[in-house]
Every structure is written in C-alpha cells, then in structure tokens.
Amino acid sequence: MPWSIGVTLKSLCGVEDMESIVIGTAGHIDHGKTALVKALTGRNTDTLEEEKRRGITINLGFAYFTLPCGKVAGLVDVPGHERFVKNMLAGASGIDIAMVVIAANEGVMPQTKEHIDILSYLDIKQSIVVLTKIDRVDEEFKELVLEDTKEYLQDTFLRDAPLIEVDSLSGKGIDALVGHLDSMALLVDHRSVEKDARMSVDRVFSVNGFGTVVTGTLSEGILHVSDEVVIYPQGHPAKVRNLQIHEQDVREARAGQRTAINLPGIATTQVSRGCVIAKKDSVFATKVMDVRFSLSRNTNFTIKKMDRLKLYIGARELIVKIIPFGVKQVTAGQEAYGQILFEQEAVVRKGDAFVLRTISPVETIGGGRVVDPTAPRYPKVTQEILDTVRLKDTGSAPDMLETFVRAHPLLTKDMLAGLVYLASIEDTLHELLAAERLIRLQDVFIHPDSVGTFTEEVIGLLRNYHHTYTLRRGMSKAELKSRQTFAGGDKEFSLLLSLLESRNVVKAADNLVAIADFSPQFSPSQQEICAELEGKVRECGYTLPSLPELVGSFREKQQVMEYLLQDTLMALDGQLVIDRQLYQDAREIVKELAAKHGVIKLPDFRDRLQTSRKYALLLLERFDKEKLTKRAGEDRILL
C-alpha cells in the first residue's frame, strides 16, 4: 500500500464494493468515548502527543471495524471538550448513527446536552445511548444515573433510543453494543449516488512522495481515480490521483464512505477543513441563502433581525447575520423561515443541515436546513415571499421545481438538479413541460411568468426607441441586450429573443430588433427627401458622394439618411455612400474578372466601374474585409 492515512486493517478485500456506514461518538469530556472506540476497534484514536498527555480528544479520531452483517463501520471519535465543539461539528456532519456516551459516575453533563442539541439539528436518523464506566459505581448509584438520564432524554430526539451499559476496559457489554449497532446498520438508508460527488473536508495533511491528502465522508455521488474536481469555495481545479477507504487503495469511493483523497499539485495551504471537494458547478458558493431554522428549548437566547452568529455547515465555521421571516423575534423552541447572510462564501446544497451558536459567550442555540442556497436579498419580506420560501421547502415535487425555476430562470437541468435536490427531476420536468408550467429553451428552463417579464421589458424598450427614432428600422441587438435587465449572458438573451420572434412579438434582421408590426412612418416632406437622396446617390454611381455632401447639417435629412443606410443605401469607410444594388453589381464584376483573368487587377476593375482609382481601391479593400477577395501582390484573387 503506497500511502496511508494512519491505520491498516488486516483484511478488507473488495472494500470498494462493501457497504459502509459512519458511527459518531458524542458526549461530555472524559466520559469514555475514546476508550469505547478502542474497545470496539482495537485502536486508540488519541494520536497527537497533546491528546495523549492531556487524556482528551482534540482533533477528530478515526477507526474502523466490520460488523457481523458485513458492513464496514467507520467510527468517528469527536472531541468532548467545549473548546473543541467546532471539531465535533466537523465530524458529526457525515454521521449515519450517533452514539451518545454518558459516564455512569457523572450522568448528563453540560457538553452532553450541547452535543445532543447539535445531533438533533443534524437530523441523524439513528442513535444509541451508551452508559460507560459502569464498573466504577455501585448498582444503586448507577440506577440513579440511569433514571436521571432517561428523564432528560424524554424531551429529546433520543427518547426511544436504546440504552446500553458497558465497561470499555473489561469489555463488559461490548458484545451487546455491537449487536445493537449491527441491527441499526441494516436500517441505514443508502446515501444518494445519483448526485454529483461531494465531500466536506475535515482533515488535511501531506504524505511524502504523494502530496496533499484530504479526508471526510463522501456525502453524495461516486468519486473515481482520475476524476477532475474543484476545491470550493476557492475554486482550485484538481485531479484525484489516489483514493483510500478504510486505509485500502480503491478505484472508486461511494456516498457514505469515509474517504481519503490524494490531490497532487495542490498545496496544503490551498485546502483546509471546511472546504468542499465536488464536481465543477455541482454546488453553490453563496453569501445569501433562505433557511428553515429553530432554537433549542434549552437556550435563553432570542434571535432578532440581523443578529450576528456562528454557523456550522459541513465542516466549516462561518460568521453570519440572520433575518427571521414573518416574525420580529424567535425564542426557545420556536421555528421560523429566514435568511442567512454570510461574511464569507459558503458552499452548500438545498437540504444541508447547519448549527447556530452565539459568538460570545459561546453557546449552541439552534440549527436548521438550507431551503434555497442562491436566494436573492429581499428589500422587504412580503407574505408572497414567505409563501414562496415555504413552497421551496415543503411543496410537492412539481410545485417545488416550478417555484425554483420561477426564482432562478434559465438554468440547465443539471444546475436545477443541484439546486432543487429532487430524486425524480426528469419525470417532474416532463410533467411541468407537458402542462406548460415550464418552457424549455434548448438546454435551459424558464417559467412562463419570467418570459412575460422579459417580453414586457423588451416591448417597453423598443416602443420608446421607435417613438424617439421613428425612421430607424430597429434597435441594435447589442444595445437592446445592454439595456434590458432580465437575461444575463449572450446565450440566454439570444434564446429569449428567438422565443419572442417565434411568437411574432418582435422581428429581427441585420442585427436590428423591432416590434413585430413596426414600420417607419414618413411625413410628406420626408418622402420627398428620401426620393432626393436615393436619386443623388444613384446618379453618382461609383463616384461615391460623402455624407456631408448629401445631408449637410439638416436634421431632417440626417434622420432620413439614417433610415436609408439601413435599407437601400450603405456607407463605405464611414463617410462615402453607395447604392446597395450598385455594390452588389460591383461584387459580380469582381467575380467576372477573376473568372476571365484568374486575378482582379485594379485598372481593369476601375475601367469596368467607370470611376477613379480611389473609389475602385476603396471597394476592393471592402471586399478584402468581407473575405470575398485577397490581395496577391498588386492584384487580388477570389477566396
């Protein structure tokens, strides 16, 4: 085995094909978590000298063992000391089964309560309570601790969790604990492998000869050796050189597995705990998100608008401000929708769990779930906005997807899949398209209401333009795009404009856009000027008149000329005017000369046009720009 993250199992054949689960310990300092892990796995997870000296776990410790059912259990020993709660949160984010450890000689303690609160917000589906150090107390004291523990757990998510008594040093009760964990492992839901791979980094280190290694629990998807990934939020591209699961080299890692990834070419300074390893564009780096959150029943804290807090998501700690929706404040035990404003970018997906803590004094006060990871800032929170956020959170699959498309128009199916997080997005999209609740524009989707908004804006801009410039055939596409505010990129603008053309709302030609039924309107005097200007230009033939000669400083003549230059006339070199039909005739003469002589000589071309060398050369240079001809010495050839 060329590289390792620290532990070698005797035998884990076919490890990449084995089902894995992650079991996390939680509990007060010195309640026996590390000793319990060692009793289960044979490994001491206190690896740092400071940890061994002080007898407490500071950083996350990991160990592995195979359950009787055949599943491999990765055991995360998280710190219990209050100073290291953020490390505990980093480990808890990928847990399938929570193992809450309570010492028989002390019972439920402050950090026990805090860890239980944290686990409840992380929505871990299965949990077990382990009463440790039972050989250190007599039976009567143990029964008192058991009674107090059960009473406290009654009002928590652990009320129905099994409670197992063990002594890690003698091994008493360990077999019974393994039996319970084995039964629980069979009920663990398979994590999604349909989504793109994502892993929140909880450890970073370097291995000689291999470079940077990151570890974490792969929360979704499948990751392969040689896959190209991105380190978020920094955006560094990287390539997976090696993968390990349970210290065994593998070709792929699947959701739910504790995974080590070797990232060559990435310095340890370019990635840190809390970063996310994911496929490009599969997660959202955001500074604003809509959420559903609640406060712990144990807290005395009240959340008000723009309160500053610590937020923990994945393995990252961030400073945020929070805005409750629909209420002035949120108190203990209450739930609300709201918006989180980040000081630094967070990397999230819809449905991600987070924990909230105060800044000083530090206290875990609540937590919640991400509803919309790319929400806009709201000038004012209306009932309509609150209803929309609620639909994004708890609506049916079609209603939820429709609401997200209305809020985030012109996204691809893959981007919507990452944003909405539905298992059956293909079927739901098909249903919405058939009911005309969504519109597909090539590879992006848009809501009919959004098309209506774009249409109204474009019609308004064009109507004002036509009113100001009555003789112009339309606004340039570039100007229209720069003045409209709905469509972002060139592609999206072109798709929406094409949709309006297909609906006969606008017409587009020669890079100009106009309302479909618009046509320039000439006054009697403008009609006379039009005939005069066209006649003069045709009379001049290939002895090209200039714009100042034709219109001078007469405003009305200038307006008519603007129209004609979009229709029957054209300008060469910005100033000299030629009839469009004469210009096309000159192109045909060039082709005739080339067919007859093989090349186009300037004197021959000049003579055919019956003009001067100056104007003949000007036309040839224009043909060069249009790629009709190419200079060859003193002559031209056809391309």
Side-chain angles (χ1 to χ4, degrees), residues 83-153:
R83 284 176 54 199
F84 309 119
V85 167
K86 67 179 183 180
N87 287 13
M88 181 265 173
L89 285 158
S93 61
I95 289 173
D96 295 306
I97 299 173
M99 190 161 61
V100 178
V101 177
I102 301 171
N105 60 339
E106 288 192 325
V108 175
M109 298 293 285
Q111 270 69 61
T112 315
K113 296 177 180 179
E114 186 168 22
H115 284 204
I116 289 172
D117 275 347
I118 290 170
L119 293 173
S120 71
Y121 289 115
L122 296 177
D123 196 27
I124 296 168
K125 301 300 182 185
Q126 295 202 75
S127 302
I128 188 168
V129 180
V130 182
L131 191 70
T132 58
K133 304 185 180 183
I134 57 172
D135 283 4
R136 292 196 184 184
V137 296
D138 57 36
E139 193 66 23
E140 184 178 353
F141 189 83
K142 185 187 75 173
E143 289 301 320
L144 285 173
V145 170
L146 273 173
E147 185 178 341
D148 288 344
T149 298
K150 290 176 181 178
E151 183 179 348
Y152 179 78
L153 297 179

Side-chain angles (χ1 to χ4, degrees), residues 147-439:
E147 185 178 341
D148 288 344
T149 298
K150 290 176 181 178
E151 183 179 348
Y152 179 78
L153 297 179
Q154 270 306 305
D155 293 325
T156 73
F157 76 103
L158 294 168
R159 65 181 65 86
D160 298 319
L163 197 158
I164 309 300
E165 303 173 23
V166 303
D167 181 74
S168 301
L169 299 181
S170 67
K172 186 176 181 180
I174 295 297
D175 288 344
L177 175 59
V178 170
H180 273 82
L181 292 173
D182 190 57
S183 300
M184 296 168 75
L186 293 172
L187 300 175
V188 171
D189 293 333
H190 295 287
R191 297 202 186 202
S192 171
V193 295
E194 305 302 321
K195 303 292 180 182
D196 289 321
R198 176 172 63 145
M199 187 184 87
S200 189
V201 175
D202 53 35
R203 284 203 299 172
V204 182
F205 52 91
S206 182
V207 175
N208 288 337
F210 290 88
T212 297
V213 176
V214 298
T215 69
T217 298
L218 198 64
S219 56
E220 293 150 339
I222 303 175
L223 194 62
H224 301 89
V225 170
S226 298
D227 275 354
E228 293 183 352
V229 295
V230 174
I231 301 168
Y232 290 97
Q234 294 89 337
H236 300 309
K239 191 171 184 178
V240 178
R241 179 162 69 180
N242 287 319
L243 286 171
Q244 283 193 358
I245 302 170
H246 310 315
E247 285 67 53
Q248 301 292 307
D249 288 337
V250 295
R251 298 297 301 173
E252 72 172 33
R254 301 173 71 86
Q257 294 177 324
R258 284 292 308 174
T259 305
I261 308 172
N262 180 207
L263 301 173
I266 297 295
T268 54
T269 55
Q270 291 179 288
V271 58
S272 57
R273 172 180 289 174
C275 288
V276 173
I277 309 297
K279 297 292 183 69
K280 185 178 179 181
D281 296 330
S282 65
V283 294
F284 296 88
T286 182
K287 281 195 167 185
V288 182
M289 67 183 187
D290 290 340
V291 299
R292 172 170 44 89
F293 71 99
S294 63
L295 260 62
S296 167
R297 64 185 178 87
N298 298 318
T299 185
N300 293 318
F301 193 84
T302 297
I303 286 184
K304 298 176 292 296
K305 183 177 180 180
M306 299 302 283
D307 274 342
R308 204 158 172 262
L309 300 167
K310 288 184 178 181
L311 181 142
Y312 299 80
I313 192 160
R316 197 158 185 220
E317 173 190 330
L318 295 155
I319 302 298
V320 302
K321 291 178 181 176
I322 187 166
I323 303 172
F325 289 170
V327 293
K328 289 185 177 180
Q329 61 183 29
V330 181
T331 58
Q334 290 185 331
E335 183 177 77
Y337 287 105
Q339 191 161 80
I340 298 289
L341 310 178
F342 293 92
E343 294 184 3
Q344 295 176 293
E345 280 190 319
V347 181
V348 299
R349 281 184 181 163
K350 184 180 187 298
D352 284 354
F354 61 85
V355 171
L356 295 171
R357 306 187 84 209
T358 52
I359 294 176
S360 181
V362 179
E363 173 197 350
T364 300
I365 60 168
R369 291 271 167 176
V370 176
V371 173
D372 185 349
T374 58
R377 284 291 306 271
Y378 307 115
K380 181 181 180 181
V381 180
T382 62
Q383 186 60 45
E384 181 182 1
I385 288 172
L386 186 55
D387 291 343
T388 297
V389 174
R390 189 175 287 111
L391 264 180
K392 290 178 185 177
D393 182 34
T394 60
S396 65
D399 288 347
M400 185 184 294
L401 186 56
E402 181 183 7
T403 303
F404 268 95
V405 174
R406 183 188 281 114
H408 305 283
L410 298 168
L411 296 181
T412 65
K413 183 188 71 177
D414 289 343
M415 294 174 76
L416 283 170
L419 185 64
V420 182
Y421 214 64
L422 290 174
S424 57
I425 191 168
E426 285 276 8
D427 295 340
T428 307
L429 281 172
H430 181 75
E431 178 184 338
L432 291 170
L433 289 169
E436 298 183 348
R437 293 168 64 183
L438 292 185
I439 297 169

